[in-house]
Amino acid sequence: MRALKLKSVSNIVLLILLSFSLLECSTPQKLIDQEQYSLAFDALIKKGQNGRLNAEQLMQLKQAYHAANQLDHERITSLKASGSPDIWPDVLYHLKNIQQRTKAVQRLSPDLKRQLDLKPVNVDEEVLAAKITTTQYYNRLAEKLLVSEDPDDSRKALPLFEKVQQLNPAYPGLDRNMRRAVFTIADRLLIGFKNESGVQLPTGFADQVLSQQAFSNSPWQSKIIWEPDQGLGNTYQIVVVLNDIEVSPHKTGQTTFTEKMESFRAEVIRYELQKSVSLSGQIQIIANNGKQPLIISPFNVSSKFEYTYARFSGDEKALTEATRELTKKAALPYPSDESLLKDAAAELNKTVALLLK
């Protein structure tokens, strides 16, 4: 029993010694000696952000900052000299390293910055240019893969489009290309509707949003399903999420004017009625068994009621042809909210259909 206790104590002592050994090996000076300048900078800047740097550590931080930036600069120069078209992701990576170090130093206290006396290296414009070129590079590679319309090529293209998305979510044509890749990969496309607006919807609203007739011209029609139990193989979900419904108040405009024709005169009142319903939300495309949407396409559709009619007193011969036509129109009541909501559902259905082209 005592032998076991001694063995346990020995193991604990060994672990402590090993921990001290690892700690010693990872001190900033050791890292600098091993030319691990970036790691040394990270360790020292962390201490500095807590306001704890002595004179020796200040010198180490200055040395690590300059040396790490120099290594990144040399790598960028070497990559550009190669003339290879695939260098830009690496160029961007090294430029961001320099940019992040500059920002980290700027976050130090004024006193530490004064003691360090480091001149910031401004590479913001270079980072932006490299980011644009890198985005274009990934997009070109991915679009070339899409041309074959082969599911395996689309699987290779999708991660490249995701890199484009990370660099520039608003890149022209990105959503369309990502949908094309997903729809090519998918065995089935399960379409559904989710109401998160908190408003009670008219009966049949969801069916109208997902009306199958609008999808009849989609090249992906054979893959579209409406019931989960129809899903086979690799099924992606297309979920129409309704977030907000805005119903405008009744707006009635009234304009009074006089029309004259020779000796004839008429007093005219023109009535203008307006009412609208707006639906906003997003159409999400979610990978099989995925929780986060792969693609999010916002929507904002509306249904508007606009109606104008007129009434007059006096001589009809004084009226212009346009006013006369308005006086023949009946005075209509405002449509119900339910009626406008159904019209807006039809517009949303068209929006979903466009995404499936």
Side-chain angles (χ1 to χ4, degrees):
M1 189 75 172
R2 180 169 175 166
L4 286 173
K5 287 183 179 179
L6 287 173
K7 187 175 182 181
S8 297
V9 171
S10 298
N11 287 340
I12 292 170
V13 171
L14 183 61
L15 284 171
I16 292 171
L17 290 173
L18 183 60
S19 298
F20 277 116
S21 175
L22 289 172
L23 185 63
E24 177 66 19
C25 290
S26 62
T27 61
Q29 188 57 55
K30 288 286 184 181
L31 291 169
I32 289 171
D33 293 341
Q34 296 165 8
E35 298 185 356
Q36 299 290 323
Y37 301 114
S38 186
L39 292 176
F41 174 85
D42 291 343
L44 289 162
I45 206 74
K46 188 174 181 180
K47 286 179 178 291
Q49 285 168 353
N50 293 326
R52 296 195 303 269
L53 283 180
N54 57 36
E56 181 184 6
Q57 290 169 334
L58 282 168
M59 292 301 297
Q60 290 170 343
L61 178 57
K62 184 179 287 192
Q63 181 184 358
Y65 176 78
H66 287 301
N69 282 348
Q70 183 61 31
L71 286 177
D72 280 314
H73 178 73
E74 289 173 0
R75 181 57 182 154
I76 291 166
T77 302
S78 173
L79 286 165
K80 289 182 176 180
S82 72
S84 175
D86 61 355
I87 63 169
W88 291 102
D90 282 342
V91 169
L92 179 60
Y93 168 77
H94 290 287
L95 282 169
K96 280 188 171 181
N97 285 345
I98 297 172
Q99 184 185 56
Q100 287 163 4
R101 287 188 202 104
T102 299
K103 288 181 178 179
V105 169
Q106 293 304 308
R107 288 193 293 268
L108 294 174
S109 69
D111 182 54
L112 282 179
K113 283 193 288 186
R114 180 184 57 77
Q115 292 180 65
L116 282 168
D117 191 27
L118 289 173
K119 293 182 180 179
V121 182
N122 191 338
V123 292
D124 291 352
E125 289 188 9
E126 292 176 71
V127 167
L128 179 60
K131 185 176 179 181
I132 292 170
T133 307
T134 301
T135 306
Q136 293 169 340
Y137 167 73
Y138 282 134
N139 193 69
R140 279 197 302 272
L141 286 182
E143 284 188 334
K144 285 180 181 178
L145 288 165
L146 279 188
V147 172
S148 70
E149 298 184 359
D150 182 274
D152 288 337
D153 285 342
S154 289
R155 285 188 185 91
K156 296 173 186 174
L158 195 54
L160 295 171
F161 283 131
E162 288 174 351
K163 290 180 183 293
V164 174
Q165 189 180 51
Q166 291 165 6
L167 291 166
N168 182 3
Y171 193 83
L174 175 61
D175 281 5
R176 182 187 65 249
N177 282 334
M178 290 187 75
R179 287 195 302 271
R180 183 178 166 190
V182 166
F183 296 164
T184 301
I185 294 167
D187 296 318
R188 294 287 185 272
L189 299 169
L190 173 62
I191 292 186
F193 174 80
K194 186 184 292 185
N195 177 22
E196 294 188 348
S197 68
V199 176
Q200 183 70 36
L201 297 173
T203 303
F205 183 92
D207 292 336
Q208 195 165 6
V209 170
L210 305 179
S211 173
Q212 300 181 29
Q213 187 175 357
F215 310 142
S216 59
N217 294 325
S218 169
W220 319 104
Q221 182 189 9
S222 62
K223 296 186 177 187
I224 299 172
I225 58 174
W226 283 263
E227 299 297 335
D229 57 9
Q230 297 172 347
L232 296 172
N234 189 20
T235 299
Y236 280 77
Q237 298 177 50
I238 302 174
V239 186
V240 182
V241 182
L242 177 60
N243 294 127
D244 189 50
I245 299 174
E246 185 175 341
V247 181
S248 75
H250 294 184
K251 296 179 183 178
T252 304
Q254 184 174 315
T255 308
T256 302
F257 55 93
T258 301
E259 289 196 351
K260 298 177 182 178
M261 179 68 69
E262 297 177 354
S263 61
F264 306 110
R265 178 188 179 99
E267 300 298 324
V268 182
I269 302 177
R270 184 172 61 205
Y271 300 93
E272 296 175 348
L273 281 62
Q274 292 182 342
K275 182 180 177 180
S276 65
V277 167
S278 296
L279 310 177
S280 60
Q282 50 189 230
I283 300 170
Q284 301 177 355
I285 298 179
I286 306 171
N288 191 23
N289 298 323
K291 293 183 179 179
Q292 296 299 320
L294 183 64
I295 308 169
I296 296 177
S297 301
F299 66 79
N300 193 317
V301 299
S302 61
S303 172
K304 295 181 180 179
F305 169 75
E306 295 179 333
Y307 187 73
T308 304
Y309 68 97
R311 295 294 179 261
F312 76 98
S313 60
D315 202 316
E316 186 177 353
K317 292 178 182 178
L319 301 178
T320 63
E321 185 60 31
T323 301
R324 186 177 291 109
E325 290 302 316
L326 287 176
T327 63
K328 294 176 182 179
K329 296 174 68 175
L332 296 181
Y334 283 96
S336 65
D337 292 356
E338 181 175 336
S339 174
L340 285 175
L341 275 170
K342 287 182 176 179
D343 288 343
E347 292 301 313
L348 182 51
N349 177 246
K350 293 175 186 176
T351 300
V352 180
L354 282 174
L355 293 183
L356 284 162
K357 284 190 174 179

